[in-house]
Amino acid sequence: MIYPIVKYGDPVLETPAAPVIEFGDKLKKLVDDMFESMYEAQGVGLAAPQIGISLRLSVIDTSFKEDPEARLVLANPEIISMEGTQTGGEGCLSIPDFRENLTRGKRVTIKAQDVNGNWYEKTGEDLLARAFQHEIDHLNGMLYIHRLSSLKRDMIKRKIRRLQRQGEW
Ligand code: NI
């Protein structure tokens, strides 16, 4: 099932999500649906709050279907170490058509549970490191625009409000 992506303005995106407690068939189905919804939206990462489900669950595939091993399920993820910095463009499926430069950690190690509930650790660099940080932010109710300067953020919010008034958001 393909879920519609929740857009900025919906409070679920700015609410810290609840831990995943039950690992079973229902979660497997949700994870499959999240991958399907992410690919449909042309994204490389999707967090459950972005489909209106306030759970600490994200999926990532920075290879966009090229490499099955790049398909990652992050349940209850946490950053355990971060090194260096990278500055580059970042966007979000919930804030379509906007993209801003943002400085993030360059090399990030996370621990998370997979779809079966098994804990694993994974280190990512560059795009994967950025995806880890972006997705874990989502689960904490944080969006990338919250990490921009207030000037930039206010400019984006004004543009979004205008789009909302025009019924285009
Ligand atoms: Ni996002």
Side-chain angles (χ1 to χ4, degrees):
M1 172 188 168
I2 291 169
Y3 284 88
I5 309 289
V6 169
K7 283 186 187 172
Y8 174 75
D10 189 314
V12 72
L13 292 174
E14 293 175 87
T15 304
V20 177
I21 293 166
E22 285 185 42
F23 292 84
D25 288 346
K26 225 176 126 186
L27 190 76
K28 286 196 176 76
K29 169 80 172 100
L30 176 58
V31 163
D32 286 346
D33 288 346
M34 284 175 66
F35 274 111
E36 213 182 319
S37 305
M38 179 184 81
Y39 292 134
E40 175 72 16
Q42 307 286 314
V44 296
L46 184 72
Q50 292 183 277
I51 54 166
I53 297 174
S54 196
L55 265 185
R56 299 187 71 79
L57 177 69
S58 290
V59 296
I60 292 177
D61 180 358
T62 52
S63 83
F64 202 79
K65 300 185 194 173
E66 288 295 311
D67 176 7
E69 291 194 359
R71 280 169 65 105
L72 298 175
V73 176
L74 284 68
N76 303 320
E78 279 174 52
I79 290 173
I80 53 179
S81 74
M82 181 149 65
E83 287 167 35
T85 61
Q86 56 171 325
T87 301
E90 190 163 320
C92 179
L93 294 175
S94 295
I95 312 172
D97 301 326
F98 289 90
R99 196 171 179 83
E100 293 293 333
N101 272 335
L102 187 60
T103 299
R104 294 279 200 180
K106 184 171 174 63
R107 187 182 159 88
V108 172
T109 301
I110 61 153
K111 66 167 190 175
Q113 283 167 283
D114 66 17
V115 73
N116 298 309
N118 299 315
W119 286 96
Y120 67 94
E121 282 187 22
K122 175 101 183 158
T123 300
E125 284 187 33
D126 302 321
L127 179 59
L128 182 55
R130 183 179 291 278
F132 283 158
Q133 293 163 87
H134 183 107
E135 293 309 319
I136 291 172
D137 272 357
H138 268 300
L139 307 183
N140 294 326
M142 178 108 174
L143 299 169
Y144 83 90
I145 59 170
H146 294 136
R147 295 192 179 275
L148 300 173
S149 69
S150 56
L151 194 75
K152 273 235 168 86
R153 183 170 54 250
D154 289 347
M155 198 181 70
I156 291 173
K157 283 184 177 178
R158 265 202 310 279
K159 286 183 182 166
I160 291 173
R161 271 198 295 274
R162 194 179 312 136
L163 290 167
Q164 285 170 329
R165 278 197 304 274
Q166 294 166 345
E168 289 169 15
W169 189 257

